[in-house]
């Protein structure tokens, strides 16, 4: 299955590397070159974060449109309803008023046809998650994607570990520790990180069509 968004991400990262003159043979000998590598790391992190948030927003937008204009509940919408209905259980004061979620897809479909307010409220709540998202670590990715129906099997092996490392390394630079670390970055290590995570990121986009199928 193709991924136009994944190809765009790959192209943007390649363009970023070219503009900053990041190559596999770059071994910095001057602070300016270290700064280039750090800039690439921070900007590449921003591209990946935007990519993940764009996937999330597309799923929400299509789900909302199909519910309101076609009276169709997507798999993502069903998962979001269930996830949202479980939120009060995490608060003792609210748990007593929590309602058991519609685990049966067709019951959820009928409920949305009769009243879409719960779904639109859940979508609005999840859009706040996108707005408040602050990175690409495993916790960030799960907050964005798991309520939409992404399961552990959707995530490539070691992807979460690599994203956690990416987030930490970006944080070292963004918070001023990058110039002080003893592990000096090289073009090879920075580009290898991107090469390692790209297939897993593209796989996340390829899963979107399944989540947007109507429940049955």
């Amino acid at each position: 299955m193709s991924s136009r968004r994944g190809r765009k991400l790959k192209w943007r990262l390649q363009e970023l590397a070219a503009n900053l003159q990041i190559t596999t043979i770059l071994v910095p000998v001057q602070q300016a070159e270290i700064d280039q590598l750090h800039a690439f790391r921070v900007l590449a992190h921003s591209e990946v974060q935007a990519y993940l948030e764009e996937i999330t927003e597309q799923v929400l937008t299509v789900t909302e449109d199909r519910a309101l204009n076609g009276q169709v509940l997507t798999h993502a919408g069903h998962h979001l309803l269930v996830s949202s209905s479980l939120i009060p259980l995490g608060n003792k004061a609210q748990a007593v008023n929590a309602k058991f979620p519609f685990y049966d897809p067709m019951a959820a479909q009928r409920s949305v046809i009769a009243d879409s307010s719960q779904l639109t409220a859940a979508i609005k709540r999840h859009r706040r998650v996108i707005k408040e998202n602050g990175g690409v670590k495993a916790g960030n990715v799960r907050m964005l994607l798991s309520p939409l129906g992404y399961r552990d099997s959707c995530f490539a092996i070691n992807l979460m570990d690599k994203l956690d490392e990416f987030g930490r390394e970006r944080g070292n630079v963004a918070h001023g520790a990058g110039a002080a670390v003893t592990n000096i970055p090289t073009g090879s290590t920075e580009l290898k990180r991107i090469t390692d995570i790209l297939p897993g990121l593209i796989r996340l986009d390829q899963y979107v069509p399944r989540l947007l199928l109507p429940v049955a």
Side-chain angles (χ1 to χ4, degrees):
M1 186 184 300
S2 63
S3 168
R4 181 183 302 176
R5 187 171 13 235
R7 291 195 301 271
K8 180 181 177 182
L9 174 65
K10 182 178 180 179
W11 176 81
R12 288 180 66 87
L13 291 171
Q14 289 174 338
E15 182 182 45
L16 179 61
N19 289 340
L20 290 172
Q21 300 180 324
I22 307 300
T23 67
T24 55
I25 62 173
L26 174 60
V27 178
V29 294
Q30 299 177 2
Q31 184 61 45
E33 292 170 323
I34 295 176
D35 292 343
Q36 283 177 252
L37 287 161
H38 284 167
F40 173 76
R41 184 186 301 170
V42 171
L43 293 173
H45 181 280
S46 295
E47 292 288 349
V48 172
Q49 181 175 332
Y51 171 86
L52 293 167
E53 292 170 358
E54 185 180 321
I55 288 176
T56 308
E57 178 57 41
Q58 183 202 0
V59 173
L60 293 178
T61 298
V62 175
T63 292
E64 186 174 39
D65 178 69
R66 290 184 179 174
L68 298 180
N69 299 317
Q71 293 191 317
V72 170
L73 180 64
T74 66
H75 281 278
H78 183 214
H79 282 285
L80 194 58
L81 281 171
V82 173
S83 297
S84 295
S85 64
L86 294 175
I87 291 175
L89 297 179
N91 184 303
K92 291 182 179 180
Q94 298 178 29
V96 66
N97 297 318
K99 296 181 179 179
F100 194 77
F102 287 111
Y103 281 104
D104 176 70
M106 296 316 297
Q109 168 76 11
R110 290 191 296 270
S111 175
V112 168
I113 291 175
D115 181 6
S116 62
S117 62
Q118 280 188 307
L119 179 60
T120 54
I123 290 172
K124 182 179 180 179
R125 187 182 301 113
H126 204 63
R127 284 199 168 111
R128 286 201 298 271
V129 174
I130 299 176
K131 184 177 181 180
E132 295 169 2
N133 180 49
V136 304
K137 291 182 180 179
N140 301 105
V141 177
R142 293 188 188 282
M143 285 286 289
L144 289 171
L145 300 183
S146 293
L148 303 179
Y150 281 86
R151 304 182 184 279
D152 285 346
S153 59
C154 301
F155 304 117
I157 296 174
N158 295 329
L159 175 64
M160 292 305 199
D161 290 338
K162 293 181 185 301
L163 289 176
D164 274 340
E165 179 188 22
F166 193 12
R168 287 193 301 271
E169 294 290 335
R170 178 263 181 192
N172 288 339
V173 176
H175 301 301
V181 296
T182 56
N183 185 18
I184 302 298
T186 66
S188 177
T189 55
E190 295 300 318
L191 292 175
K192 185 177 186 303
R193 175 187 293 119
I194 299 303
T195 299
D196 287 346
I197 65 175
L198 261 176
L201 294 173
I202 291 173
R203 178 173 169 178
L204 296 177
D205 188 44
Q206 291 172 329
Y207 195 70
V208 168
R210 300 185 188 184
L211 296 174
L212 296 178
L213 290 173
V215 296

